[in-house]
Short mmCIF file of all heavy atoms in Angstrom, two decimals:
data_model
loop_
_atom_site.label_atom_id
_atom_site.label_comp_id
_atom_site.label_asym_id
_atom_site.label_seq_id
_atom_site.Cartn_x
_atom_site.Cartn_y
_atom_site.Cartn_z
N LEU I 1 1.54 11.35 1.82
CA LEU I 1 1.28 12.09 3.12
C LEU I 1 1.91 11.40 4.28
O LEU I 1 2.48 12.07 5.15
CB LEU I 1 -0.19 12.37 3.26
CG LEU I 1 -0.85 13.29 2.38
CD1 LEU I 1 -2.40 13.22 2.40
CD2 LEU I 1 -0.38 14.78 2.68
N ASN I 2 1.79 10.09 4.30
CA ASN I 2 2.40 9.27 5.40
C ASN I 2 3.89 9.42 5.41
O ASN I 2 4.56 9.54 6.42
CB ASN I 2 1.91 7.87 5.36
CG ASN I 2 0.62 7.63 5.97
OD1 ASN I 2 0.51 7.76 7.25
ND2 ASN I 2 -0.38 7.40 5.20
N ARG I 3 4.46 9.48 4.18
CA ARG I 3 5.89 9.57 4.06
C ARG I 3 6.50 10.92 4.63
O ARG I 3 7.52 10.90 5.13
CB ARG I 3 6.32 9.52 2.55
CG ARG I 3 7.79 9.66 2.20
CD ARG I 3 8.63 8.59 2.79
NE ARG I 3 8.36 7.33 2.15
CZ ARG I 3 9.25 6.67 1.42
NH1 ARG I 3 10.46 7.20 1.15
NH2 ARG I 3 8.97 5.53 0.89
N ILE I 4 5.70 11.92 4.55
CA ILE I 4 6.13 13.22 5.05
C ILE I 4 5.71 13.45 6.49
O ILE I 4 5.73 14.56 7.02
CB ILE I 4 5.71 14.44 4.17
CG1 ILE I 4 4.19 14.58 4.08
CG2 ILE I 4 6.33 14.29 2.75
CD1 ILE I 4 3.70 15.86 3.45
N GLY I 5 5.15 12.36 7.16
CA GLY I 5 4.92 12.46 8.59
C GLY I 5 3.49 12.77 8.90
O GLY I 5 3.14 12.94 10.11
N LYS I 6 2.58 12.84 7.94
CA LYS I 6 1.16 13.03 8.20
C LYS I 6 0.50 11.74 8.50
O LYS I 6 0.92 10.70 8.09
CB LYS I 6 0.48 13.73 7.07
CG LYS I 6 1.13 15.11 6.61
CD LYS I 6 1.00 16.10 7.72
CE LYS I 6 1.58 17.42 7.25
NZ LYS I 6 1.58 18.43 8.33
N ASN I 7 -0.64 11.72 9.27
CA ASN I 7 -1.32 10.52 9.61
C ASN I 7 -2.47 10.45 8.53
O ASN I 7 -3.51 11.13 8.78
CB ASN I 7 -1.86 10.60 11.02
CG ASN I 7 -2.52 9.32 11.42
OD1 ASN I 7 -2.50 8.26 10.73
ND2 ASN I 7 -3.14 9.28 12.62
N ALA I 8 -2.30 9.67 7.49
CA ALA I 8 -3.31 9.65 6.45
C ALA I 8 -3.83 8.27 6.20
O ALA I 8 -3.13 7.28 6.31
CB ALA I 8 -2.69 10.20 5.11
N ILE I 9 -5.05 8.17 5.92
CA ILE I 9 -5.74 6.91 5.61
C ILE I 9 -6.46 7.02 4.32
O ILE I 9 -7.13 8.09 4.09
CB ILE I 9 -6.75 6.53 6.72
CG1 ILE I 9 -6.02 6.44 8.07
CG2 ILE I 9 -7.48 5.22 6.45
CD1 ILE I 9 -6.99 6.26 9.21
N ALA I 10 -6.51 6.03 3.52
CA ALA I 10 -7.26 6.05 2.27
C ALA I 10 -8.44 5.07 2.40
O ALA I 10 -8.28 4.02 3.00
CB ALA I 10 -6.42 5.60 1.10
N ALA I 11 -9.58 5.46 1.98
CA ALA I 11 -10.77 4.63 1.90
C ALA I 11 -11.26 4.56 0.48
O ALA I 11 -11.54 5.63 -0.13
CB ALA I 11 -11.79 5.15 2.85
N LEU I 12 -11.34 3.40 -0.09
CA LEU I 12 -11.85 3.22 -1.43
C LEU I 12 -13.13 2.48 -1.39
O LEU I 12 -13.25 1.35 -0.88
CB LEU I 12 -10.82 2.48 -2.25
CG LEU I 12 -9.47 3.05 -2.40
CD1 LEU I 12 -8.55 2.13 -3.20
CD2 LEU I 12 -9.58 4.38 -3.13
N ARG I 13 -14.16 3.17 -1.84
CA ARG I 13 -15.49 2.51 -1.88
C ARG I 13 -15.62 1.49 -2.92
O ARG I 13 -16.15 0.42 -2.61
CB ARG I 13 -16.59 3.61 -2.08
CG ARG I 13 -17.95 3.01 -1.88
CD ARG I 13 -19.00 4.17 -1.82
NE ARG I 13 -20.21 3.67 -2.28
CZ ARG I 13 -20.79 3.90 -3.48
NH1 ARG I 13 -20.14 4.72 -4.30
NH2 ARG I 13 -21.90 3.37 -3.77
N GLU I 14 -15.20 1.72 -4.12
CA GLU I 14 -15.23 0.72 -5.13
C GLU I 14 -14.03 0.79 -5.96
O GLU I 14 -14.03 1.35 -7.11
CB GLU I 14 -16.49 1.00 -6.01
CG GLU I 14 -17.79 0.75 -5.30
CD GLU I 14 -19.06 1.01 -6.17
OE1 GLU I 14 -18.87 1.22 -7.38
OE2 GLU I 14 -20.11 0.97 -5.64
N PRO I 15 -12.89 0.24 -5.49
CA PRO I 15 -11.74 0.19 -6.33
C PRO I 15 -11.99 -0.66 -7.59
O PRO I 15 -12.97 -1.46 -7.60
CB PRO I 15 -10.64 -0.45 -5.53
CG PRO I 15 -11.40 -1.20 -4.43
CD PRO I 15 -12.73 -0.47 -4.23
N SER I 16 -11.15 -0.54 -8.59
CA SER I 16 -11.38 -1.32 -9.83
C SER I 16 -11.47 -2.83 -9.49
O SER I 16 -11.09 -3.24 -8.38
CB SER I 16 -10.36 -1.01 -10.80
OG SER I 16 -9.10 -1.53 -10.43
N LEU I 17 -11.83 -3.59 -10.48
CA LEU I 17 -12.16 -4.99 -10.20
C LEU I 17 -10.96 -5.87 -9.79
O LEU I 17 -11.19 -7.05 -9.53
CB LEU I 17 -12.81 -5.57 -11.44
CG LEU I 17 -14.14 -4.87 -11.82
CD1 LEU I 17 -14.58 -5.38 -13.18
CD2 LEU I 17 -15.10 -5.07 -10.75
N GLY I 18 -9.79 -5.33 -9.74
CA GLY I 18 -8.69 -6.13 -9.13
C GLY I 18 -8.00 -6.98 -10.18
O GLY I 18 -8.22 -6.90 -11.36
N PRO I 19 -7.14 -7.86 -9.69
CA PRO I 19 -6.19 -8.58 -10.61
C PRO I 19 -6.81 -9.75 -11.40
O PRO I 19 -6.17 -10.29 -12.23
CB PRO I 19 -5.14 -9.15 -9.64
CG PRO I 19 -5.83 -9.28 -8.32
CD PRO I 19 -6.82 -8.13 -8.29
N VAL I 20 -8.03 -10.06 -11.10
CA VAL I 20 -8.61 -11.23 -11.86
C VAL I 20 -9.84 -10.94 -12.66
O VAL I 20 -10.33 -11.77 -13.43
CB VAL I 20 -8.93 -12.40 -10.91
CG1 VAL I 20 -7.67 -12.98 -10.30
CG2 VAL I 20 -9.88 -11.99 -9.76
N PHE I 21 -10.34 -9.69 -12.55
CA PHE I 21 -11.55 -9.36 -13.37
C PHE I 21 -11.17 -8.17 -14.28
O PHE I 21 -10.33 -7.37 -13.96
CB PHE I 21 -12.68 -8.86 -12.43
CG PHE I 21 -13.08 -9.95 -11.40
CD1 PHE I 21 -12.76 -9.69 -10.07
CD2 PHE I 21 -13.72 -11.02 -11.77
CE1 PHE I 21 -13.16 -10.65 -9.12
CE2 PHE I 21 -14.11 -11.94 -10.80
CZ PHE I 21 -13.79 -11.76 -9.48
N GLY I 22 -11.90 -8.11 -15.41
CA GLY I 22 -11.81 -6.95 -16.26
C GLY I 22 -10.43 -6.79 -16.80
O GLY I 22 -9.54 -7.65 -16.73
N ILE I 23 -10.15 -5.57 -17.42
CA ILE I 23 -8.91 -5.38 -18.10
C ILE I 23 -8.08 -4.31 -17.40
O ILE I 23 -7.06 -3.95 -17.77
CB ILE I 23 -9.14 -4.89 -19.59
CG1 ILE I 23 -9.99 -3.60 -19.61
CG2 ILE I 23 -9.78 -5.99 -20.42
CD1 ILE I 23 -10.02 -3.04 -20.97
N LYS I 24 -8.64 -3.79 -16.28
CA LYS I 24 -7.88 -2.71 -15.53
C LYS I 24 -6.76 -3.32 -14.81
O LYS I 24 -6.58 -4.52 -14.64
CB LYS I 24 -8.88 -1.99 -14.63
CG LYS I 24 -9.92 -1.23 -15.43
CD LYS I 24 -10.91 -0.51 -14.55
CE LYS I 24 -10.20 0.68 -13.95
NZ LYS I 24 -11.12 1.43 -13.04
N GLY I 25 -5.89 -2.45 -14.24
CA GLY I 25 -4.62 -2.80 -13.62
C GLY I 25 -4.62 -3.31 -12.16
O GLY I 25 -3.77 -2.93 -11.42
N GLY I 26 -5.61 -4.09 -11.78
CA GLY I 26 -5.54 -4.58 -10.44
C GLY I 26 -5.69 -3.50 -9.40
O GLY I 26 -5.24 -3.63 -8.21
N ALA I 27 -6.38 -2.49 -9.71
CA ALA I 27 -6.77 -1.37 -8.86
C ALA I 27 -5.81 -0.21 -8.85
O ALA I 27 -6.19 0.87 -8.60
CB ALA I 27 -7.06 -1.79 -7.41
N CYS I 28 -4.61 -0.40 -9.29
CA CYS I 28 -3.67 0.71 -9.28
C CYS I 28 -2.48 0.44 -10.20
O CYS I 28 -1.80 -0.56 -10.13
CB CYS I 28 -3.06 1.03 -7.87
SG CYS I 28 -4.30 1.56 -6.75
N GLY I 29 -2.12 1.46 -11.02
CA GLY I 29 -0.88 1.50 -11.69
C GLY I 29 -0.48 0.34 -12.54
O GLY I 29 0.59 -0.15 -12.47
N GLY I 30 -1.45 -0.17 -13.29
CA GLY I 30 -1.08 -1.20 -14.26
C GLY I 30 -0.74 -2.54 -13.58
O GLY I 30 -0.05 -3.39 -14.20
N GLY I 31 -1.07 -2.70 -12.34
CA GLY I 31 -0.86 -3.95 -11.67
C GLY I 31 0.26 -3.97 -10.67
O GLY I 31 0.32 -4.83 -9.78
N TYR I 32 1.23 -3.08 -10.77
CA TYR I 32 2.37 -3.11 -9.88
C TYR I 32 2.18 -2.38 -8.58
O TYR I 32 2.98 -2.49 -7.65
CB TYR I 32 3.60 -2.56 -10.60
CG TYR I 32 4.20 -3.64 -11.48
CD1 TYR I 32 3.93 -3.65 -12.83
CD2 TYR I 32 5.05 -4.62 -10.99
CE1 TYR I 32 4.41 -4.64 -13.62
CE2 TYR I 32 5.52 -5.66 -11.77
CZ TYR I 32 5.19 -5.66 -13.11
OH TYR I 32 5.67 -6.66 -13.88
#
């Protein structure tokens, strides 16, 4: 949305555990 010129904000209440906990991808996209 920002790329197409809209003013967008994301709010994440509880993103995944991040790069050092659990087996998930650091909150997004397998770590990258």
Side-chain angles (χ1 to χ4, degrees):
L1 288 167
N2 278 289
R3 176 64 69 112
I4 64 170
K6 304 294 182 184
N7 188 6
I9 301 170
L12 299 176
R13 186 170 153 255
E14 294 181 7
S16 71
L17 297 173
V20 293
F21 304 109
I23 60 172
K24 293 177 76 178
C28 292
Y32 280 96

